[in-house]
Amino acid sequence: MGEADSGTGTVVAYADCVHCSEPTEYPESVRGATLCPVCEWHEAQRTACPG
C-alpha cells in the first residue's frame, strides 16, 4: 500500500488498485473499486463508446 505526506505532517495511506495492486491516487477511506491511473485509462478505453 502506498503512503505519502499530505503536507500537514500526517501520512496518508493510499488504496491499492483492485487490478494490479499498485498504489492509487485515492486514500484507503474511499469506498468502491479503486484503480491506479494506468488501469483507469485502460478501463475507460475498454468501456468507451465505439461510435
Side-chain angles (χ1 to χ4, degrees):
M1 121 184 46
E3 294 181 356
D5 187 335
S6 66
T8 61
T10 58
V11 175
V12 177
Y14 290 97
D16 291 336
C17 177
V18 296
H19 290 299
C20 69
S21 299
E22 290 294 318
T24 67
E25 298 175 340
Y26 305 102
E28 283 187 331
S29 60
V30 172
R31 299 179 138 233
T34 54
L35 301 174
C36 70
V38 173
C39 289
E40 279 185 349
W41 185 83
H42 286 292
E43 186 71 11
Q45 292 296 313
R46 188 182 69 76
T47 59
C49 180

